Amino acid sequence: MGKYSLVVINCDDVKRRVREIKIDGVDLTNLFTIDNFTSGMNLQQLWRIIWAKYDLHGFNKLAIKYDVKKGEKPIYYDVIVDNKIINICSEDVELKYFADGKYRYSYAIRRDNVIFRRVFDDLMNFIDICDVDKYREMYFRNNKELFRLIKIYNSTFNSMIQGKDCEKFESMIEDELSRYVTFRKYIISLDRASNMNRHDKSNFSYTDEETASMYNRENDEFIEPSEVRQMGLVDDFDYKRKLVRSK
């Protein structure tokens, strides 16, 4: 595994100066430990702590630097601040062996973490009722493996053969989401989408296809999308935030 560090950057400098930050008593050597430190405060509080120890005149950006290996260009991640989901989940991470996937050993959130379970259930609810292709760029652009598993799960769920295969791929989605890097990307995408749509939340609505799917799953019936408005579901039923998976 590569090396993570919290850094400040002078973005105005042609040479782009980068300086590593170290805080006494704080582990800043892993992505999840850095996130745990920064996500528990707002950006102003974080800068105040750093400025108390360093003279950073000219430095104007905080980032997480990932040195993959010697000789390769480092990767930079945005710093996460003021995020309760990341703050709680980053405290419950362990090194775990994965039988599938590109990386066999990854840091992962414990699957019994209450907040992780809530995020996973909400994701599966979203997958069950929505056309995920429509939201790929919004929620899964940087999570190719997670999206691949979701597509396989959907094709299995929509086929005549379900049962164990469907449960298998649901478990694989849960495993992939538990990888800390995957989970982090997904939470960031949710936050960005929320910020983009905050001004238009009151007008959020599902398509007729999504509403029909929710109705069918909840009531164990089958109606066509064309019947949604005929039955008055859009006006009489609030499906906009309704959970259809058992918690």
Side-chain angles (χ1 to χ4, degrees):
M1 292 185 182
K3 176 182 178 294
Y4 288 98
S5 56
L6 179 65
V7 300
V8 288
I9 304 172
N10 184 338
C11 295
D12 299 328
D13 195 326
V14 176
K15 294 183 179 180
R16 201 185 192 205
R17 288 183 295 151
V18 178
R19 184 171 180 180
E20 183 176 352
I21 298 298
K22 295 183 179 180
I23 306 294
D24 294 339
V26 181
D27 181 3
L28 300 175
T29 60
N30 284 296
L31 183 60
F32 64 92
T33 58
I34 296 173
D35 283 345
N36 185 252
F37 173 64
T38 63
S39 64
M41 65 189 87
N42 61 41
L43 188 59
Q44 185 179 12
Q45 291 170 324
L46 179 57
W47 271 114
R48 192 179 298 127
I49 291 172
I50 295 172
W51 272 101
K53 183 173 181 180
Y54 293 93
D55 178 9
L56 297 174
H57 180 72
F59 289 89
N60 48 20
K61 180 177 175 60
L62 282 165
I64 298 172
K65 181 183 178 185
Y66 180 52
D67 291 299
V68 184
K69 57 184 178 181
K70 193 173 181 179
E72 291 189 10
K73 285 186 177 181
I75 299 170
Y76 290 92
Y77 298 94
D78 289 337
V79 168
I80 296 177
V81 294
D82 199 16
N83 190 304
K84 291 182 180 179
I85 293 177
I86 290 295
N87 191 248
I88 293 172
C89 290
S90 60
E91 290 182 341
D92 211 2
V93 174
E94 59 187 4
L95 189 61
K96 179 181 175 182
Y97 173 78
F98 289 84
D100 300 301
K102 182 178 178 181
Y103 301 102
R104 291 306 174 91
Y105 283 94
S106 295
Y107 283 106
I109 302 166
R110 287 175 54 91
R111 288 170 58 158
D112 58 358
N113 180 284
V114 175
I115 301 300
F116 172 78
R117 294 238 57 80
R118 185 183 306 166
V119 172
F120 171 69
D121 286 340
D122 286 347
L123 171 61
M124 293 307 300
N125 175 61
F126 174 78
I127 294 169
D128 285 347
I129 63 179
C130 293
D131 178 3
V132 292
D133 284 315
K134 188 169 66 175
Y135 300 99
R136 180 175 184 175
E137 285 298 305
M138 186 179 293
Y139 298 121
F140 308 107
R141 183 180 61 180
N142 296 320
N143 261 325
K144 293 181 180 179
E145 179 61 16
L146 181 62
F147 186 76
R148 184 185 73 84
L149 293 173
I150 289 170
K151 290 291 290 181
I152 296 174
Y153 167 85
N154 270 349
S155 63
T156 305
F157 195 95
N158 293 328
S159 69
M160 298 299 292
I161 306 172
Q162 296 181 16
K164 290 185 178 179
D165 281 344
C166 211
E167 292 176 4
K168 171 189 173 184
F169 287 112
E170 181 171 336
S171 180
M172 290 175 70
I173 291 171
E174 186 176 359
D175 257 355
E176 180 60 31
L177 184 67
S178 75
R179 292 183 194 261
Y180 186 76
V181 172
T182 300
F183 184 83
R184 184 185 199 270
K185 290 178 182 178
Y186 181 63
I187 296 301
I188 288 174
S189 72
L190 291 181
D191 287 346
R192 286 177 177 168
S194 177
N195 290 333
M196 288 173 60
N197 296 324
R198 186 168 294 165
H199 67 283
D200 197 31
K201 275 187 177 180
S202 61
N203 295 323
F204 176 85
S205 61
Y206 288 124
T207 64
D208 289 350
E209 289 78 8
E210 292 166 348
T211 303
S213 176
M214 284 185 279
Y215 182 86
N216 291 337
R217 292 181 192 280
E218 186 178 356
N219 296 283
D220 195 23
E221 295 183 17
F222 182 79
I223 64 169
E224 295 287 351
S226 59
E227 298 177 274
V228 167
R229 297 182 185 278
Q230 179 183 341
M231 294 176 64
L233 296 184
V234 174
D235 298 324
D236 296 342
F237 294 89
D238 179 17
Y239 284 107
K240 292 182 179 181
R241 295 282 182 250
K242 193 173 186 65
L243 295 179
V244 295
R245 294 179 66 83
S246 59
K247 297 286 183 139

